[in-house]
Amino acid sequence: MSPVLAIIATTSADLPNAQELSSQLNLPCLGVASPSEINEVPQVLACGEQLQLCATGRKAPGPVSVDFVGGALAHRRKYGGGKAQPVAKAVGLRPGFYPRVLDATAGLGRDAFVLATLGCEVKMLERNPVVRLLLKDGLRRLQEAATADPELAAIAGLLSLADDIAPAADWLAQQAEESWPVVYLDPMFPPRGKSAKVKKEMVAFHHLVGEDLDADDLLEPALRACYYRTVVKRPKVAPYLADKKPMLSFEGKSGRFDIYTKHGVPG
């Protein structure tokens, strides 16, 4: 069976890193190449100034990477609405209350980063080894940029990635009861209909990660581990996680936040 993912280097200087990654993931290394010139695998990890997940072929969409410094997240950090953002309201953020958050399904870390920019200490969990590498690469570049930018330094100090690669349900089950103020869940959910089509640049990412078929298993250990609340981000059309109705739901621009409370957040 042909591999679905391979490693490439952007330049010859990046080739040693690509070869090391190839050994680490037990994936073929195709040397120095461009994703548009590759047809033998549907996607590649490109080692260069940043690590990128790329679909291959001449008409492939743009790459996916984790960029906590520039791009869309930089714009959101500066102009995204601060504490008025739906994710901030969902976790209960308010003046003087910046809860520690466990993002148990971190993905590309976007919501975790937003919460860190607003003052929350956030630990990310991610079980997919390739996505973990993208996150680690994004954190590395954030820490490098933080040396010259005090604002980024404060954010970098609040954002971390757990070393564990265990499934989130298992990791949560090992936590002490009510040891995390907020547990945040955003499991993958299959898109439905034209209105929920995956953005072109995310096609490779969704092919890699697939659906979280065990997503329902997350809720019970999350509720046990949280103190204030568990927040579940869902598409607007998605059923409740584990078919359990939340105490509160409200909609954001692109989805819905279901909130399961245990203890009230400080007023």
Side-chain angles (χ1 to χ4, degrees):
M1 181 180 295
S2 300
V4 297
L5 181 67
I7 313 297
I8 64 170
T10 303
T11 69
S12 56
D14 300 309
L15 188 55
N17 289 337
Q19 291 170 333
E20 181 179 349
L21 202 58
S22 171
S23 298
Q24 179 182 339
L25 296 175
N26 193 27
L27 292 171
C29 179
L30 305 181
V32 180
S34 168
S36 64
E37 300 169 348
I38 295 171
N39 296 306
E40 54 264 50
V41 291
Q43 47 195 346
V44 293
L45 267 179
C47 296
E49 291 185 5
Q50 57 182 279
L51 189 64
Q52 297 179 322
L53 178 66
C54 308
T56 57
R58 288 190 303 166
K59 296 183 179 181
V64 174
S65 63
V66 174
D67 187 358
F68 294 134
V69 179
L73 284 181
H75 186 273
R76 190 170 175 184
R77 171 167 58 91
K78 297 173 182 177
Y79 311 110
K83 297 181 181 66
Q85 296 177 76
V87 68
K89 293 180 179 180
V91 302
L93 205 66
R94 59 192 64 185
F97 180 66
Y98 305 92
R100 190 166 54 102
V101 178
L102 175 69
D103 185 348
T105 53
L108 295 173
R110 292 169 179 171
D111 286 339
F113 177 78
V114 169
L115 291 172
T117 67
L118 299 176
C120 294
E121 180 185 344
V122 185
K123 182 180 286 293
M124 300 181 288
L125 300 182
E126 178 51 54
R127 63 180 174 182
N128 185 285
V130 174
V131 181
R132 281 181 56 82
L133 288 170
L134 293 173
L135 283 169
K136 289 178 71 173
D137 182 67
L139 287 171
R140 174 187 62 80
R141 287 181 283 107
L142 173 62
Q143 290 158 359
E144 289 175 353
T147 60
D149 187 327
E151 183 179 351
L152 288 178
I155 297 167
L158 293 172
L159 192 60
S160 63
L161 176 65
D163 293 333
D164 309 67
I165 311 181
D170 295 346
W171 198 95
L172 285 163
Q174 296 170 9
Q175 304 305 296
E177 188 172 357
E178 298 189 347
S179 57
W180 285 93
V182 174
V183 176
Y184 185 79
L185 304 174
D186 182 13
M188 293 286 286
F189 187 78
R192 293 182 177 180
K194 294 181 180 179
S195 63
K197 281 186 178 179
V198 178
K199 293 180 180 179
K200 287 184 178 180
E201 67 272 16
M202 292 296 289
V203 169
F205 179 76
H206 279 252
H207 282 168
L208 173 71
V209 176
E211 302 168 22
D212 280 331
L213 299 177
D214 56 353
D216 285 345
D217 297 337
L218 293 170
L219 188 58
E220 183 177 346
L223 292 173
R224 180 184 173 277
C226 78
Y227 181 80
Y228 290 113
R229 59 178 53 176
T230 290
V231 177
V232 182
K233 184 178 181 181
R234 303 290 273 166
K236 292 180 181 180
V237 299
Y240 297 133
L241 199 63
D243 292 324
K244 183 177 179 64
K245 186 177 180 179
M247 289 70 173
L248 173 67
S249 291
F250 64 90
E251 291 188 354
K253 290 182 180 180
S254 59
R256 186 185 80 231
F257 293 92
D258 294 336
I259 300 168
Y260 301 83
T261 58
K262 288 184 72 175
H263 301 282
V265 300

